[in-house]
Amino acid sequence: MKKRLYGRIVALVLFDLLVWYLYFVICSAPSSSAFIYVDF
Amino acid sequence: MIELLPLPALWGLFYVLGRLPRPGALTFRRGLMVVASVAILLGATGPATCAFYVALGVATTLGSLWLARCPDGPRRRILFWFMVLSVAALIVVYLAFRIYFQKYFVSLPSLSYLGFRGIALLVTAYSRGGVDLAGGLMQMLFMPVMMMGPITRVEDFGKETRDDLEVLRRLAYAFPMLIGGRLMAAHVLKDVHLLGVLPVWRYWLGALANSLDFYLTFAGYTHLIIGLGLLAGFNLPENFNHPYLATSISDFWRRWHMSLSFWIRDYLYIPLGGNRKGLPRKCFNIVVAMGVCGLWHGLELHYLLWGLYHGSLMACESIMTHYGWQPLRPMLGRAYTPVKTGIVFGLVTFSWLLFRYPMDQLGIVLGGLVR
């Protein structure tokens, strides 16, 4: 049970690091999002 | 300041601060986070903007403390209304003169969000008391929620929470959504008055991309904000619950930017009379509340149209529910719910065009869709 939990945590950490890295690769340019244009 | 939210340095800082030894437990944690928030604000926006924002936050907090301690009576009531109307006036002035505010106070985080949090704090202090200095300052100055909500209530900072697995889960949702939002943003039509004539499909693609961009970017950032809140030790309110799976516009508003719609419900719709004064008054209250919700995004006609559009749709739904009128149900059988979800998605996607484009561009986009 504990093993599965640790496995899940490690998988989540690795996935997070991957998507975090990808975010900076793909979205490094200043935002062109329609949402960001809207300043509430 | 929004661009700070994904930075690893910010997450590292919150991780360390959330784990520092706690001499005074909750008060220590809240004090620490207020100091960190002000320091980040100072670094990101400079002394003038930071001083202006902090002064507003501290003044509202002190006002709420005064209100909580003031004995019941007409003086207290006058004080309460004076403070609430002052905060509301600040929001209106900010929305009307936003360009000038942002010229003098560079990167100023949204004052209208500050105002919403301020009114929530004042109402809590007036109705229930129990507001303390650290809680009030957290409500007004906690950095992650400064830019785009969720609109917190002072109770959200009333106890500490720790859930590291949930933080990891939030990160796992946030970044793919933000990446998706950015990819969608590439297809959104911008400055349409300069683009010339485009094929019809391009307008439809632009409308769809606009709708998905709004959701993915907003909800993606919200996951980051809630994750940062958890790292700091606080459970911030949820803001999205699969809004594009809603089966009615009212359902949509229970799933989209929930902290805003609940704020509108608690502090505007219910004080107006809510649904307690008959169907016509209920419909009127819904349209007025949503019209104000629209104008809160900016004092411009297209925002008002957006709010009135949602209000009118919700009023129509209320009338249909009241009379038990469901014309599509017998025809569609099992397909009823998926079809309703599709219709609501279409109506909402259309509404984002009203939201996104100023009037001069809106006409071009709407014309392009049906040309």
Side-chain angles (χ1 to χ4, degrees):
Chain A
M1 204 61 181
K2 225 171 187 180
K3 230 176 174 179
R4 269 182 69 179
L5 178 69
Y6 287 141
R8 207 174 136 209
I9 292 172
V10 170
L12 255 177
V13 169
L14 290 177
F15 181 74
D16 284 346
L17 290 175
L18 175 71
V19 290
W20 207 332
Y21 171 74
L22 284 176
Y23 169 80
F24 283 106
V25 170
I26 296 171
C27 310
S28 55
S31 172
S32 59
S33 166
F35 177 76
I36 299 302
Y37 276 127
V38 182
D39 173 49
F40 302 135
Chain B
M1 283 200 32
I2 290 168
E3 66 280 2
L4 295 182
L5 293 175
L7 292 183
L10 185 69
W11 287 75
L13 177 70
F14 271 62
Y15 182 83
V16 171
L17 292 180
R19 270 153 189 77
L20 280 183
R22 343 169 177 179
L26 185 60
T27 307
F28 170 76
R29 176 80 48 230
R30 294 189 295 190
L32 194 67
M33 291 320 301
V34 168
V35 171
S37 296
V38 173
I40 294 166
L41 187 65
L42 179 66
T45 65
T49 304
C50 179
F52 178 63
Y53 195 90
V54 171
L56 292 175
V58 170
T60 313
T61 305
L62 294 179
S64 72
L65 291 177
W66 189 15
L67 206 55
R69 280 157 184 69
C70 190
D72 235 346
R75 190 163 154 256
R76 188 167 186 258
R77 204 171 312 128
I78 292 168
L79 196 63
F80 169 69
W81 280 109
F82 172 73
M83 288 183 195
V84 167
L85 292 176
S86 303
V87 176
L90 174 76
I91 297 176
V92 174
V93 170
Y94 170 68
L95 290 173
F97 300 104
R98 197 157 46 188
I99 295 167
Y100 302 101
F101 271 98
Q102 284 166 353
K103 191 173 160 194
Y104 293 108
F105 300 109
V106 181
S107 305
L108 179 68
S110 168
L111 286 192
S112 38
Y113 272 113
L114 184 80
F116 272 18
R117 295 199 303 277
I119 290 176
L121 179 64
L122 291 170
V123 172
T124 303
Y126 182 69
S127 57
R128 285 187 279 116
V131 174
D132 64 328
L133 181 65
L137 289 175
M138 273 298 272
Q139 165 74 356
M140 298 309 293
L141 298 174
F142 187 47
M143 178 264 168
V145 299
M146 274 180 193
M147 288 79 68
M148 56 170 74
I151 299 164
T152 50
R153 315 261 170 132
V154 69
E155 303 89 291
D156 297 325
F157 302 107
K159 72 175 172 73
E160 280 190 277
T161 313
R162 198 150 301 288
D163 189 347
D164 290 342
L165 201 58
E166 181 61 17
V167 174
L168 291 173
R169 222 171 57 81
R170 295 284 175 177
L171 284 170
Y173 279 119
F175 287 112
M177 290 176 91
L178 289 172
I179 293 168
R182 198 58 61 94
L183 297 178
M184 287 299 124
H187 300 289
V188 175
L189 294 176
K190 297 165 193 97
D191 299 321
V192 282
H193 54 302
L194 306 174
L195 289 179
V197 179
L198 298 171
V200 173
W201 67 265
R202 190 63 192 80
Y203 289 101
W204 284 87
L205 177 65
L208 182 65
N210 185 46
S211 182
L212 294 176
D213 173 30
F214 268 112
Y215 170 58
L216 293 170
T217 308
F218 197 177
Y221 275 121
T222 301
H223 280 306
L224 289 183
I225 291 164
I226 293 175
L228 279 170
L230 274 174
L231 267 191
F234 300 98
N235 203 357
L236 302 180
E238 202 59 69
N239 223 12
F240 291 90
N241 177 23
H242 307 293
Y244 288 164
L245 296 180
T247 53
S248 67
I249 297 294
S250 323
D251 188 25
F252 172 77
W253 280 104
R254 284 190 291 271
R255 293 161 172 266
W256 176 277
H257 204 350
M258 290 185 258
S259 62
L260 172 66
S261 42
F262 295 162
W263 193 100
I264 297 271
R265 179 196 65 193
D266 293 347
Y267 301 128
L268 194 61
Y269 175 67
I270 291 176
L272 277 173
N275 55 7
R276 301 185 305 273
K277 298 186 177 177
L279 184 63
R281 181 62 192 268
K282 179 186 175 185
C283 293
F284 174 78
N285 291 342
I286 291 173
V287 173
V288 169
M290 290 310 292
V292 172
C293 175
L295 282 177
W296 168 70
H297 293 91
L299 299 182
E300 287 160 48
L301 183 58
H302 67 109
Y303 288 129
L304 177 64
L305 283 180
W306 173 81
L308 294 178
Y309 170 84
H310 274 278
S312 310
L313 288 174
M314 284 162 76
C316 289
E317 278 176 9
S318 293
I319 295 168
M320 287 170 77
T321 308
H322 184 80
Y323 291 107
W325 193 49
Q326 295 178 321
L328 293 178
R329 187 184 276 275
M331 276 190 281
L332 293 171
R334 272 189 186 175
Y336 181 61
T337 305
V339 167
K340 266 208 320 183
T341 305
I343 292 172
V344 170
F345 176 70
L347 292 170
V348 169
T349 294
F350 175 77
S351 82
W352 291 132
L353 297 176
L354 302 178
F355 190 91
R356 169 81 176 87
Y357 294 105
M359 292 309 285
D360 56 330
Q361 299 183 42
L362 183 62
I364 301 171
V365 174
L366 297 184
L369 287 170
V370 294
R371 191 156 27 82

